[in-house]
Amino acid sequence: MHELGVVFEVIKTVKNFVDKNDLTKVDTIVLQIGELSSMIPKYIHECFPAAIDGTEFEETKLVIEIIPAAAICKGCKHVFNIIKHKSQCPECESLEWGMLTGKEFSIKEVIAC
Amino acid sequence: MKNFKILEIKEGIFDNNNKEADLLRAELKQQNNLLINLMSSPGSGKTTTLVSTINALKDEMKIGVMEADIDSDVDAHTIANTGTKVIQLHTGGMCHLDAEMTKQGLEGLGSEGLDLTILENVGNLVCPAEFDTGAAKNVMILSVPEGDDKPLKYPLMFSICDVLLINKIDAMGFFDFDLEAATTRVKKLNPNIKVFPISAKTGEGVEAWTNWLRGAVKDWQES
């Protein structure tokens, strides 16, 4: 499964962060996933227990924040959701736009002590 | 009650691997070793293509091969028959190689003094596209029986590759494979990609590909 290797990568990054900052316990890991990223949040959640099994993060919770696929129209500067409006500006119907957010795939923060 | 607080990380999930990959690339540059990451679906003819590539170039440069598979070593045996240095890497169930595994593989292979190292990645068009291995060039093989619509299904893989080998062109008559349509679809995703139609079995088109590879090694060592 595609998401599994990625979740292992998340755990690796968090482990580095924990070691570097002398943390003892991670309560929650918060990820940000854009609507247009290639990752499916449901599968990330399903793979997570396998990735933390037998590690120091066995009791750690996972939270995923979804970032909307937002674009700004090059014509009228209207900001709209790319998926909802099928890649077309709902104001002026232009197809020329720049992406603002939606491809994110990052670790936002951890709640830890 | 423990004193939990929120700590910002703000790191892309692939950042760590990307950093390791950049370090490895710089190291390989120092050693004049061109690392090629070869990717494809299972059964596209990666190993056969490798054998014909090695046979064309082995008299003029030192080549090493790393075979990555979830299990087994049948491919490594086939490559070893060409007289080339080869190592089998087992990913232990993982569907791709990352930079750290590649680095360990190079150490196991003993890559010093090599001009060209080819990493045969796990047969898979999804995960290997996300993980930078530290290779200087990414090459993928699409074989005729897979269909000319593959670029539409796996856009990321086609976007990150420098070269596309369209293999098994000797079987074109048996399949509805439109070479022009496939090339157009790939170029739309990645205008800079080089496309070489080949038949690793008959040798057709292989020379154009090995000429490119010879040039890439030269550029890597001289630039």
Side-chain angles (χ1 to χ4, degrees), chain A residues 74-111:
Chain A
K74 284 191 178 162
C76 70
K77 305 291 175 206
H78 181 68
V79 174
F80 63 98
N81 187 297
I82 304 169
I83 299 171
K84 192 174 157 203
H85 296 287
K86 303 202 166 76
S87 305
Q88 188 168 29
C89 175
E91 290 293 314
C92 70
E93 300 189 346
S94 167
L95 293 169
E96 301 268 313
W97 42 262
M99 191 184 291
L100 296 171
T101 59
K103 287 223 154 189
E104 295 75 7
F105 184 42
S106 57
I107 305 171
K108 184 191 176 195
E109 63 201 17
V110 289
I111 300 171

Side-chain angles (χ1 to χ4, degrees), chain A residues 1-2 5-6 8-10 12-13 16-17 23 25 27 31 38-39 105-113, chain B residues 2-14 16-17 20 94-96 98 100 126-127 130-131 156:
Chain A
M1 185 181 291
H2 172 53
V6 168
F8 276 110
E9 201 63 30
V10 170
K12 227 199 256 174
T13 307
N16 284 343
F17 185 80
L23 301 172
K25 192 165 168 58
D27 178 73
L31 303 183
S38 61
M39 297 299 147
F105 184 42
S106 57
I107 305 171
K108 184 191 176 195
E109 63 201 17
V110 289
I111 300 171
C113 66
Chain B
K2 280 185 177 162
N3 209 0
F4 283 103
K5 54 185 182 239
I6 296 176
L7 298 156
E8 267 197 4
I9 297 188
K10 287 227 157 134
E11 198 173 314
I13 281 153
F14 300 113
N16 186 39
N17 184 61
E20 282 173 20
M94 292 292 267
C95 47
H96 63 274
D98 61 18
E100 199 184 312
V126 183
C127 317
E130 309 257 26
F131 287 85
L156 183 64

Side-chain angles (χ1 to χ4, degrees), chain A residues 18-31:
Chain A
V18 163
D19 291 348
K20 221 190 280 167
N21 294 281
D22 287 325
L23 301 172
T24 51
K25 192 165 168 58
V26 179
D27 178 73
T28 307
I29 297 173
V30 184
L31 303 183

Side-chain angles (χ1 to χ4, degrees), chain B residues 166-180:
Chain B
I166 299 182
N167 192 22
K168 307 190 187 179
I169 52 166
D170 53 304
M172 200 99 81
F174 301 104
F175 298 93
D176 293 326
F177 189 95
D178 185 337
L179 188 60
E180 212 181 293

Side-chain angles (χ1 to χ4, degrees), chain B residues 7 18 35 42 67 75 84 95 104-106 111 135 138 141 143 145 153 159 183 187 190 195 198 219:
Chain B
L7 298 156
N18 289 346
L35 177 64
E67 286 286 339
D75 289 345
T84 305
C95 47
Q104 285 170 8
L106 286 163
S111 63
N138 290 313
I141 303 176
S143 64
K153 297 180 184 171
S159 328
T183 311
K187 293 265 181 180
N190 182 351
V195 180
I198 65 164
D219 287 347

